[in-house]
Amino acid sequence: AGSTEYDGRRGARTKIPPALPASVSTSISKALFRLLREDDELEELMKTSMFPGCRRSLRLENESMPERKFRIHVAIQICSLVRGYQDCLFFVSASQPVFNRDRFLRQAPALFEDKRPTALIDINYTDRMAKILSPRSKRFLSVLVNTQHFHQLLERLSEEETSYFHEVMDTIEPEEDPTTGSKDYFSTSFGTAQCEAA
């Protein structure tokens, strides 16, 4: 659950949700600034266009390419948080999923972040590529997998309304190794700083 803080203006305690994992938060922030910069550039272009008196009506237009890129980027980042959920999902019946929360909170790829470089230069390549458990990610995912929305998503996985979720997950899920039958979740960069180009 989120931490409870005292709010001096209201005098009452309010719940503060846990922060997004750092890599996801940073990636979305950068994408937002990229969107705002591109939107400003488009606005300037519209001002100097052939119709200088015309202003862009945001409510009457289809989404711009920068807006679309941002929307897709956020969807990828949010979906990357639940990578590996399939390995923790079991069906008692066709319509009754059972989610192994504890297993997910031990092995979900979003729990781990790249090891921070130390002051000394790491000579060993495997040490530089090591992943460590992120307490911030664990707090966030613990709350996420206990929400009603997450459980509704699990119940509706076979419905048409979740097709975009499946499409995004298919693009970020690693391929299964035919010899071992397992997936290398750490070979993909979604949900990490390397995902900036998405």
Side-chain angles (χ1 to χ4, degrees):
S3 61
T4 305
E5 296 286 326
Y6 181 75
D7 185 347
R9 293 173 295 198
R10 295 183 193 155
R13 292 183 171 262
T14 57
K15 286 245 177 182
I16 298 174
L20 278 170
S23 60
V24 174
S25 179
T26 301
S27 182
I28 290 174
S29 290
K30 288 179 179 178
L32 177 60
F33 285 118
R34 194 168 42 244
L35 168 68
L36 294 173
R37 185 184 67 245
E38 290 173 3
D39 194 46
D40 286 345
E41 291 168 0
L42 185 60
E43 188 71 33
E44 284 300 314
L45 186 64
M46 292 297 285
K47 285 179 184 176
T48 60
S49 70
M50 295 194 318
F51 307 104
C54 290
R55 287 211 79 210
R56 202 172 100 168
S57 174
L58 298 176
R59 293 183 180 215
L60 300 177
E61 266 184 26
N62 292 331
E63 75 181 341
S64 67
M65 186 54 74
E67 291 166 337
R68 180 176 175 77
K69 286 179 183 178
F70 176 74
R71 184 173 55 82
I72 291 169
H73 184 87
V74 170
I76 289 170
Q77 291 298 315
I78 298 301
C79 288
S80 73
L81 292 170
V82 294
R83 283 183 306 143
Y85 81 94
Q86 304 94 324
D87 299 335
C88 303
L89 189 62
F90 309 95
F91 288 89
V92 176
S93 68
S95 64
Q96 206 169 20
V98 175
F99 184 70
N100 188 335
R101 175 188 176 275
D102 294 332
R103 180 178 177 191
F104 181 77
L105 292 174
R106 279 191 313 268
Q107 68 185 35
L111 289 170
F112 303 94
E113 60 185 27
D114 293 331
K115 182 179 177 182
R116 300 274 191 268
T118 60
L120 300 173
I121 297 173
D122 291 326
I123 296 174
N124 189 349
Y125 179 74
T126 56
D127 286 346
R128 289 184 301 200
M129 299 307 291
K131 300 278 186 181
I132 59 171
L133 180 67
S134 166
R136 181 175 171 174
S137 295
K138 184 152 186 159
R139 277 192 304 276
F140 182 83
L141 289 176
S142 295
V143 172
L144 177 68
V145 298
N146 284 312
T147 62
Q148 183 177 358
H149 288 285
F150 182 74
H151 289 279
Q152 285 176 343
L153 170 68
L154 296 178
E155 291 169 3
R156 296 179 176 155
L157 285 172
S158 61
E159 296 180 14
E160 180 64 29
E161 64 190 26
T162 60
S163 63
Y164 185 68
F165 170 76
H166 291 295
E167 185 178 327
V168 171
M169 292 304 289
D170 286 344
T171 64
I172 64 176
E173 281 291 316
E175 295 295 321
E176 189 172 291
D177 183 346
T179 57
T180 64
S182 64
K183 297 178 181 180
D184 180 11
Y185 287 102
F186 298 114
S187 67
T188 59
S189 61
F190 293 98
T192 67
Q194 298 167 350
C195 186
E196 296 309 314

